[in-house]
């Protein structure tokens, strides 16, 4: 039996696996990556939204573009990527057994990185196994990889970032999201993600969960009900929705079976997502030469997974002598700093489960945002990005400490300031002059920046907002402006549409509204 040997075998061609492959190949290692899917890139090619972080974290770049960049870089470095290749075994002496088509092949690696990612969790309720009930990730695959709408009328269960992001993408695909439901008493994901869903009119039902999926052969409706602090249904709180699809976004579990098979020490760690390997700082497992990277060792964002992958690639390179310890330490120090920046703020791993009442600046967090998905009109003014000036100026409705700063870099006139702390709330410089270029609006991953002229001298105001729906309205189109809650605030007319390659798929839609609604109009809905 022929056994092919590599310096490094990586299992998983997602963000962490590809990043690890690139780093190792840069140092001269012979690398192969196995992935069970027909396409490489893992979750990246489903992620049509723009990433958070800073320039070094690929902020304001859409996930699928990042995937394209990683694939090209890996290919240019000679990394071999084997698709439709399921790793079915990882044995002693780092022997890897792979099913490729109808054949089984054996490989040996002097080092191995497991980057298998995570699988969607499911929650059981009456009718949970009916056709029409699916994971949010599956819905995202249908939409963004295959161009298929998962359904027409959809209820989303789960308000973490996955549930919020996929809800927005369902709307972009032309689906109706009838409600976003979560048993928890507050929104689990980023407030800016929730706010961009809420202002389209999708209602949030916190402290609610699914009681029953209705239908005989497939989903035709769903009943939800309110739950108490012990997550027990409260009698008399049932609410019914006619839907054909229920999407479930209730977390992820690491796919760590190969690490367990290899004899790595494991632990049940709820903070890291479940059954995970016990690892060192850079993904070193208890078995020499076997490393882990990405969600398989703890659920985080894709930006963090890419850095963890790079770290594992560096450590594997030093383990086999391709670089010195001094070179390893120098590279890891840079990567440490980059990863540490992403692990700050209100959503940092160290803050999971904690009740945070104030921002880092000492501003009381919006209770309405946590419970209903949007910042109330009487709360918004207390945040530093919300200012009033004569003429066009940015209004930044970013109200949580999230590691993200592309708006600061995007403004050539330095109107926006975040500072050295990437998690600081953005502020508008008082003596700056906005030139209405729109780069800040287009670059914001949370779609939380608007350009406002509060008084155009004719009793009206203009609001320029990010718009990522089809069809794009035309100048002169009449419609209604929706507020942060998704309710109508006034009539509106489109006065300008701007598209640019630099905006990366985000259109800038300018609407004219009565001037008293300048600080309330945040979404445009065309007239029927």
């Amino acid at each position: 039996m022929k056994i092919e040997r590599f310096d490094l075998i990586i299992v998983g061609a997602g963000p962490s696996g590809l990043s690890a492959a690139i780093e190792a190949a840069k140092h001269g290692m012979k690398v192969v990556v196995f992935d069970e899917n027909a396409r490489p890139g893992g979750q990246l090619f489903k992620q049509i939204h723009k990433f958070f972080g800073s320039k070094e974290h690929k902020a304001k770049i859409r996930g699928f573009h990042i995937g394209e960049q990683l694939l090209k870089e890996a290919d240019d470095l000679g990394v071999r990527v084997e698709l439709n290749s399921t790793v079915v075994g990882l044995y002693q002496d780092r022997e890897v057994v792979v099913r490729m088509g109808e054949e089984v092949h054996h490989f040996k690696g002097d080092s191995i990185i497991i980057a298998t990612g995570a699988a969607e969790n499911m929650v059981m309720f009456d009718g949970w196994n009916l056709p029409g009930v699916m994971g949010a990730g599956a819905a995202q695959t249908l939409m963004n990889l295959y161009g298929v709408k998962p359904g027409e009328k959809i209820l989303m269960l789960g308000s973490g970032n996955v549930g919020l992001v996929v809800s927005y993408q369902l709307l972009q695909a032309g689906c109706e999201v009838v409600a976003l439901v979560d048993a928890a008493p507050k929104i689990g994901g980023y407030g800016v993600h929730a706010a961009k869903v809420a202002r389209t009119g999708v209602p949030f039902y916190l402290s609610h969960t699914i009681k029953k999926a209705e239908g005989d052969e497939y989903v035709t409706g769903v009943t939800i009900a309110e739950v108490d602090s012990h997550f027990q249904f409260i009698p008399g709180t049932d609410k019914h929705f006619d839907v054909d699809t229920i999407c479930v976004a209730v977390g992820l579990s690491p796919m760590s079976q190969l690490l367990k098979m290899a004899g790595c020490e494991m632990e049940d760690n709820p903070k890291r997502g479940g059954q995970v390997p016990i690892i060192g700082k850079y993904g070193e497992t208890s078995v020499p030469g076997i490393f882990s990277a990405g969600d398989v060792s703890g659920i985080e964002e894709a930006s963090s997974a890419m850095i963890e992958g790079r770290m594992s690639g560096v450590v594997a390179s030093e383990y086999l002598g391709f670089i010195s310890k001094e070179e390893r330490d120098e590279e890891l120090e840079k990567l440490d700093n980059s990863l540490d920046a992403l692990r700050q703020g209100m959503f940092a791993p160290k803050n999971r489960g904690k009740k945070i009442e104030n921002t880092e600046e000492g501003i009381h967090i919006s209770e309405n945002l946590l419970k209903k998905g949007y910042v109330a009109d009487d709360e918004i003014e207390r945040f530093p990005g919300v200012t009033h000036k004569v003429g066009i100026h940015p209004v930044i409705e970013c109200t949580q400490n999230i590691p993200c700063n592309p708006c600061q870099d995007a403004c050539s006139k330095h109107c926006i300031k975040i500072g050295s702390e990437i998690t600081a709330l953005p502020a508008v410089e008082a003596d700056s002059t906005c030139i209405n270029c729109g780069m800040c609006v287009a670059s914001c991953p949370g779609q939380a920046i608007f350009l406002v002229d509060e008084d155009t001298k004719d009793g009206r105001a203009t609001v320029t907002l990010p718009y990522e729906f089809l069809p794009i309205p035309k100048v002169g189109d009449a419609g209604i402006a929706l507020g942060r809650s998704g309710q109508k605030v006034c009539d509106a007319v489109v006065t300008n549409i701007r598209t640019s390659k630099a905006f990366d798929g985000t259109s800038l839609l300018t609407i004219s509204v009565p001037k008293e609604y300048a600080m309330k109009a945040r979404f445009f809905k065309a007239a029927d």
Side-chain angles (χ1 to χ4, degrees):
M1 178 178 64
K2 180 182 176 182
I3 298 180
E4 196 170 355
R5 195 175 198 105
F6 291 86
D7 297 320
L8 174 63
I9 294 174
I10 297 175
V11 185
S16 58
L18 288 175
S19 297
I22 290 166
E23 208 63 39
K26 282 180 181 177
H27 298 129
M29 296 180 78
K30 181 184 177 184
V31 183
V32 64
V33 183
F34 296 111
D35 196 286
E36 64 183 357
N37 297 298
R39 294 181 61 176
Q43 303 301 309
L44 287 172
F45 284 93
K46 303 194 298 188
Q47 295 174 339
I48 63 173
H49 55 282
K50 296 177 180 179
F51 272 38
F52 290 80
S54 65
K55 187 175 182 180
E56 65 177 311
H57 304 122
K58 302 184 183 295
K60 77 175 183 178
I61 302 175
R62 298 187 188 277
F64 67 94
H65 287 319
I66 296 173
E68 291 167 350
Q69 293 173 6
L70 292 178
L71 284 173
K72 184 180 186 306
E73 195 171 355
D75 186 62
D76 289 345
L77 290 166
V79 173
R80 178 173 156 189
V81 179
E82 293 285 353
L83 302 174
N84 295 308
S85 301
T86 304
V87 175
V88 296
L90 174 55
Y91 302 106
Q92 288 184 346
D93 300 323
R94 296 183 289 276
E95 182 175 344
V96 176
V97 179
V98 187
R99 180 170 58 81
M100 307 170 77
E102 299 301 318
E103 298 180 344
V104 173
H105 298 260
H106 293 250
F107 300 86
K108 275 199 173 183
D110 293 332
S111 59
I112 292 173
I113 295 176
I114 302 299
T116 42
E120 291 191 279
N121 295 335
M122 183 52 70
V123 59
M124 287 183 284
F125 46 82
D126 191 7
W128 72 276
N129 55 350
L130 280 172
V133 179
M134 67 178 72
Q140 199 178 32
T141 299
L142 287 173
M143 290 186 294
N144 300 341
L145 290 184
Y146 300 107
V148 176
K149 289 170 67 173
E152 295 296 331
K153 299 183 71 173
I154 301 173
L155 179 135
M156 176 66 71
L157 178 65
S159 70
N161 279 337
V162 172
L164 297 172
V165 167
V166 175
S167 291
Y168 192 75
Q169 292 175 3
L170 287 164
L171 295 168
Q172 289 176 304
C175 306
E176 178 186 352
V177 180
V178 301
L180 201 151
V181 177
D182 200 313
K186 66 177 184 178
I187 301 292
Y190 291 174
V192 287
H193 281 322
K196 69 184 183 184
V197 174
R199 63 178 174 250
T200 68
V202 176
F204 284 67
Y205 290 89
L206 280 298
S207 294
H208 283 72
T209 194
I210 295 175
K211 197 171 185 180
K212 180 181 181 181
E214 298 158 4
D216 295 326
E217 298 179 1
Y218 48 83
V219 172
T220 59
V222 61
T223 296
I224 67 171
E226 190 174 354
V227 295
D228 60 23
S229 59
H230 299 289
F231 299 102
Q232 300 300 307
F233 288 116
I234 299 174
T237 63
D238 289 11
K239 300 169 183 66
H240 170 82
F241 299 91
D242 291 325
V243 299
D244 54 39
T245 306
I246 298 169
C247 285
V248 179
V250 291
L252 303 168
S253 294
M255 297 175 66
S256 57
Q257 296 90 337
L258 285 174
L259 289 160
K260 188 173 183 179
M261 182 183 291
C264 300
E265 290 185 25
M266 309 291 289
E267 67 173 350
D268 279 311
N269 190 327
K271 289 188 176 181
R272 290 166 60 195
Q275 183 79 186
V276 292
I278 297 174
I279 56 174
K281 187 175 182 180
Y282 303 113
E284 310 96 325
T285 71
S286 60
V287 177
I290 297 181
F291 309 88
S292 71
D295 282 352
V296 71
S297 51
I299 307 300
E300 289 191 78
E301 299 294 323
S303 300
S304 299
M306 288 187 284
I307 298 174
E308 289 180 357
R310 293 179 64 190
M311 287 176 163
S312 295
V314 170
V315 174
S317 298
E318 189 275 329
Y319 174 77
L320 294 180
F322 282 84
I323 58 174
S324 67
K325 289 185 178 180
E326 291 73 22
E327 290 173 310
R328 176 200 67 182
D329 292 344
E330 183 179 348
E331 292 189 33
L332 289 177
E333 183 179 4
K334 295 176 184 176
L335 293 170
D336 260 332
N337 292 335
S338 183
L339 185 58
D340 186 60
L342 287 176
R343 288 176 170 170
Q344 300 303 314
M346 295 163 56
F347 293 87
K350 63 185 178 184
N351 288 328
R352 285 177 185 162
K354 294 182 181 178
K355 183 179 181 180
I356 298 176
E357 297 183 347
N358 297 303
T359 70
E360 293 171 1
E361 295 80 6
I363 303 169
H364 191 61
I365 290 168
S366 164
E367 291 295 328
N368 209 74
L369 175 66
L370 297 178
K371 295 177 180 178
K372 298 182 180 179
Y374 62 92
V375 182
D377 292 341
D378 61 356
E379 297 174 317
I380 197 67
E381 296 283 343
R382 63 181 181 235
F383 296 97
V386 180
T387 58
H388 301 274
K389 295 177 69 174
V390 175
I392 295 173
H393 60 94
V395 173
I396 310 171
E397 300 189 358
C398 184
T399 65
Q400 294 176 324
N401 299 116
I402 297 169
C404 191
N405 70 358
C407 56
Q408 177 176 261
D409 296 335
C411 184
S412 62
K413 295 300 179 180
H414 310 293
C415 296
I416 300 171
K417 181 180 180 180
I418 290 177
S420 59
E421 295 295 328
I422 190 175
T423 57
L425 294 179
V428 178
E429 294 281 38
D431 58 351
S432 61
T433 302
C434 176
I435 60 173
N436 193 26
C437 69
M439 286 302 299
C440 61
V441 178
S443 69
C444 177
Q447 297 189 16
I449 302 180
F450 309 87
L451 294 178
V452 179
D453 187 340
E454 297 180 54
D455 188 354
T456 55
K457 309 304 182 186
D458 55 357
R460 299 186 71 79
T462 61
V463 180
T464 298
L465 49 88
Y467 197 83
E468 294 188 352
F469 295 89
L470 294 175
I472 299 173
K474 297 180 177 61
V475 172
D477 282 359
I480 59 173
L482 304 183
R484 298 177 185 90
S485 67
Q487 299 300 306
K488 177 182 175 180
V489 293
C490 62
D491 293 327
V493 178
V494 177
T495 60
N496 194 19
I497 296 284
R498 283 183 279 171
T499 58
S500 168
K501 186 176 181 180
F503 296 165
D504 190 18
T506 300
S507 297
L508 303 191
L509 178 69
T510 302
I511 57 175
S512 173
V513 299
K515 70 177 185 179
E516 58 266 34
Y517 298 111
M519 298 302 287
K520 295 183 178 181
R522 291 297 177 262
F523 190 72
F524 177 78
K525 185 176 181 180
D528 294 331

